[in-house]
Amino acid sequence: MEWTMTANAPGQACLMQGNEAIVRGAVEAGINFAASYPGSPSSQVLGMLGKIAGERNFYAEWSTNEVCALEACVGASLAGARALCIVKQNGLLCTADSLHCGAQHGVKGGLVIVTSDDPSAHSSTNEFDSRWQAESASVALLEPTTMQETKDIVPYAFELSERTGQMVIVRLTTRVCHGRGVVKLGALPEKPHPIQRVREWDRLVCVSYLHTPMLERLEALRSEFEHCEYNHYDGPERAKFLIVAGGTGRLYAQEALHRLGLTSRVGLLSLGTLWPLPEESILRYLERAETVLTLEEVDPFLENHLAALAGRNGLHLTFMGRSEGTLPKIGELDPDNVTAAIAAFAGVPLPEKKAASTQELPVREMTFCAGCPHRATFHILKRVLRQEKNPGVVVGDIGCYIMSGQFAGQYAFQAVNCMGSGINLAEALGQLTRYGLDQKVVTVCGDSTFFHTIMPGVVNAVYHKANMLLMVLDNSATAMTGFQPHPGTGLTAMGAPAEPMNIQRILEAMGCKVEVADPFDVAETEKTVRRLLQEDGMNVLIMRQPCATLTAKKQKKPVRVWVDQDVCLGEGCGCDKYCSRVWGCPGNTWDFKNGKAQIDPVTCVGCGVCAKFCPSGAIHVEGGEEA
């Protein structure tokens, strides 16, 4: 696939994923600088850019967090560079201060922010809608639908940014990031966009009097968007039924209109420029309509603005969509709910739907990967806390281990807010132990999250002498989003070696008492956790064990894990189906016929830690040798 990112083959048709289309569009735009912090559904974008950065002579980095990424892009813009910042919806919220200040002082070189929203929260804790951030900051917002548009809109966004002196947001959703379609390649520039010397009177300074130029840039954008090629209309000239769609809603609408036979009766206005809205163009269609259905993800952003636009112009229309209740207020659009909404909207019956199967699909519970060290960590933690006089409080954070608040981690923690917040929630609880809160306080974070936003919270907790235990789950990777490197791994996005930052030494420099344990060394780690919970002050335990998926790739000789059926106590081990239900590793299954535990040789990665937890000693581990 790297060939399609760097081949100068204009007119060549290629099958591309949406994330790949973003990369190709950035290369065609001649970018100089790219920065990101990994977050699904757009994690692959910077990963691919890093692989080709050397060949195409631009710089790419996995930044420590999204704030670092956006502010670095602003700095690159000061030198006239074309800079691309890639975040997900949560990451865009992280950048709010930088985003709003940057919108006030504007940019010099083109600065494009690609934000990937996650309707239905497939790989997120929420489905925040990034469009509100564009409106709040008064910056342009573009939303492509097809893979071709996704590739083409990136160079346009850079040109628009430079023409208006303002950053531009390109919003994608999961179905666009991970969908595939045919893309016709454009020409590649001979070299990246030329950078410029920073002149004495170049100014990117956020001060209050610059608010007026920001609003003037917004009006210039509105005028441009009135004639933008990414907005288009299909349907009868005077349609009393009008659909206004943004993003994937357009594709679902096209499919539904054909299925329902309504293409000659219903108008479809597709908007690729979502902020500022091209109001004059929209009004031309609203003035002819009687009823308007808005298709968008996730919030009623368009619906509310269209209703306000109609009201200001004295139009009495019926609006349908997310806010009014024709469509679900949460979750993704799909062909079924859009077809049902359009049928209700146009007053036609739904076509008969053939059932694929009368049998319900089994529910698949979210769980840790086979051999995940986090499973052992939370099993130990729960076991220790149950032995305390009062149940302890465990505060989570964002990463693979967020599943520890569910069955996968035996419902280990009581709270999780946003990335980097766990240390601060726990600090407050740790202070209350002086005022009658008779509970042990524990918080957890991953190694990548530690560098992302945990360190300021550690400073705060140490400074105020909070009574708590911080457990850093160091699995040597940003595992949740695809094993991207971070400052502790010793590698950059472009593949260059870097001196790995030592989490233990950083914490000790902050004044923490730090110990290191291996979650697979069950007996010793359990003793360590129990001891640290009894000690006052801010204590840190680094749970160091590499991600099992990475470790399994290094095995030269396979490990065999097996259950001695003669020794296995089955349901008599003291807990019904202990291996599969309590321990919960996908590699541990249950033979319902014989009422015994068994190992799935396909799923099992051979970590062997289950043998250390087995109450009867029936699980055995053989072999294993690292390459």
Side-chain angles (χ1 to χ4, degrees), residues 83-386:
L84 181 69
C85 178
I86 308 102
V87 296
K88 67 181 294 180
Q89 79 273 15
N90 309 81
L92 189 65
L93 287 172
C94 283
T95 68
D97 196 5
S98 303
L99 174 65
H100 284 70
C101 291
Q104 286 204 23
H105 61 57
V107 297
K108 182 181 170 186
L111 199 168
V112 175
I113 303 170
V114 170
T115 178
S116 56
D117 287 12
D118 191 18
S120 289
H122 296 285
S123 54
S124 310
T125 56
N126 54 62
E127 51 177 17
F128 289 141
D129 193 322
S130 292
R131 294 177 296 176
W132 302 108
Q133 295 298 305
E135 179 186 5
S136 176
S138 297
V139 300
L141 175 66
L142 308 173
E143 183 167 0
T145 301
T146 65
M147 304 308 125
Q148 185 70 53
E149 279 185 354
T150 302
K151 192 273 292 182
D152 293 341
I153 217 166
V154 175
Y156 170 71
F158 276 109
E159 292 164 9
L160 182 66
S161 175
E162 288 165 351
R163 247 194 345 265
T164 59
Q166 185 61 288
M167 59 182 73
V168 174
I169 296 177
V170 176
R171 180 198 188 228
L172 308 179
T173 56
T174 302
R175 298 300 173 187
V176 177
C177 287
H178 294 168
R180 292 187 183 275
V182 175
V183 174
K184 186 179 288 187
L185 303 182
L188 294 184
E190 290 185 11
K191 54 187 178 180
H193 188 73
I195 59 174
Q196 305 160 11
R197 180 175 296 164
V198 180
R199 298 163 299 196
E200 182 180 0
W201 296 106
D202 282 340
R203 290 292 183 269
L204 297 184
V205 182
C206 182
V207 291
S208 59
Y209 65 79
L210 285 174
H211 196 66
T212 299
M214 179 185 73
L215 297 178
E216 290 172 351
R217 289 194 294 267
L218 192 67
E219 286 308 308
L221 286 164
R222 195 185 304 277
S223 298
E224 163 137 355
F225 286 174
E226 295 292 349
H227 309 287
C228 182
E229 63 178 305
Y230 297 107
N231 302 321
H232 38 82
Y233 175 80
D234 297 295
E237 186 177 344
R238 303 189 67 85
K240 66 176 185 176
F241 295 116
L242 176 66
I243 297 172
V244 181
T248 53
R250 167 179 139 203
L251 300 179
Y252 296 139
Q254 289 172 339
E255 180 182 331
L257 290 172
H258 279 93
R259 285 179 64 195
L260 297 168
L262 293 172
T263 52
S264 61
R265 287 181 54 198
V266 177
L268 174 57
L269 176 60
S270 304
L271 297 177
T273 63
L274 298 190
W275 192 259
L277 286 173
E279 295 185 350
E280 291 180 16
S281 300
I282 293 171
L283 270 174
R284 287 200 296 271
Y285 297 103
L286 292 183
E287 288 169 346
R288 304 168 189 172
E290 296 177 4
T291 308
V292 179
L293 172 65
T294 307
L295 302 177
E296 56 188 321
E297 293 179 320
V298 172
D299 296 337
F301 179 90
L302 277 174
E303 187 179 348
N304 292 347
H305 283 296
L306 293 176
L309 178 62
R312 289 199 304 269
N313 288 274
L315 302 179
H316 301 285
L317 304 174
T318 299
F319 285 91
M320 302 170 69
R322 297 274 197 178
S323 179
E324 168 271 343
T326 300
L327 286 160
K329 294 184 185 294
I330 61 172
E332 285 185 296
L333 297 177
D334 60 46
D336 291 334
N337 59 33
V338 169
T339 300
I342 293 176
F345 161 71
V348 298
L350 274 170
E352 284 190 27
K353 187 178 177 182
K354 296 180 181 178
S357 172
T358 56
Q359 187 175 0
E360 289 189 13
L361 293 174
V363 176
R364 182 184 178 187
E365 294 176 330
M366 293 181 68
T367 189
F368 295 117
C369 300
C372 178
H374 299 337
R375 180 179 289 104
T377 293
F378 286 101
H379 195 85
I380 291 169
L381 182 60
K382 285 287 284 191
R383 200 151 75 174
V384 171
L385 289 175
R386 285 193 183 108

Side-chain angles (χ1 to χ4, degrees), residues 390-618:
N390 296 316
V393 182
V394 183
V395 181
D397 215 294
I398 305 299
C400 299
Y401 44 89
I402 195 171
M403 289 184 289
S404 298
Q406 306 166 27
F407 171 81
Q410 300 175 52
Y411 307 99
F413 59 71
Q414 284 79 29
V416 61
N417 180 243
C418 65
M419 195 162 186
S421 67
I423 181 77
N424 299 309
L425 271 67
E427 189 267 340
L429 292 166
Q431 299 297 354
L432 294 178
T433 59
R434 298 183 178 90
Y435 302 97
L437 182 66
D438 189 14
Q439 291 177 283
K440 305 299 182 184
V441 180
V442 182
T443 187
V444 300
C445 75
D447 45 333
S448 184
T449 304
F450 174 82
F451 292 108
H452 181 277
T453 31
I454 289 291
M455 289 194 284
V458 172
V459 171
N460 192 53
V462 173
Y463 175 53
H464 293 106
K465 298 180 174 64
N467 291 320
M468 57 181 286
L469 172 62
L470 166 64
M471 300 177 74
V472 181
L473 315 184
D474 184 358
N475 62 0
S476 306
T478 313
M480 187 179 188
T481 51
F483 310 109
Q484 293 84 6
H486 61 63
T489 61
L491 201 65
T492 70
M494 297 169 65
E499 185 65 31
M501 294 189 184
N502 188 299
I503 294 175
Q504 181 178 355
R505 286 160 64 181
I506 290 170
L507 286 163
E508 288 172 342
M510 290 180 177
C512 295
K513 294 175 286 184
V514 186
E515 296 190 33
V516 180
D518 179 356
F520 286 178
D521 186 354
V522 178
E524 286 303 312
T525 299
E526 191 171 325
K527 291 177 187 176
T528 303
V529 173
R530 185 175 291 108
R531 174 171 49 80
L532 290 176
L533 285 175
Q534 307 309 316
E535 297 181 8
D536 290 337
M538 171 67 180
N539 295 288
V540 181
L541 179 60
I542 300 174
M543 302 292 270
R544 187 169 292 155
Q545 177 63 230
C547 171
T549 303
L550 293 177
T551 303
K553 292 178 180 178
K554 299 177 182 178
Q555 295 289 348
K556 185 166 66 174
K557 183 178 178 182
V559 177
R560 178 177 175 244
V561 181
W562 58 281
V563 177
D564 186 335
Q565 298 294 318
D566 294 331
V567 177
C568 179
L569 300 175
E571 296 182 9
C573 73
C575 189
D576 182 26
K577 302 175 180 59
Y578 179 90
C579 293
S580 60
R581 292 191 181 175
V582 177
W583 177 237
C585 179
N588 297 106
T589 59
W590 192 258
D591 185 342
F592 285 95
K593 182 178 179 181
N594 298 318
K596 301 276 187 171
Q598 62 182 10
I599 301 295
D600 179 0
V602 176
T603 310
C604 178
V605 295
C607 70
V609 71
C610 56
K612 299 175 183 179
F613 283 104
C614 177
S616 64

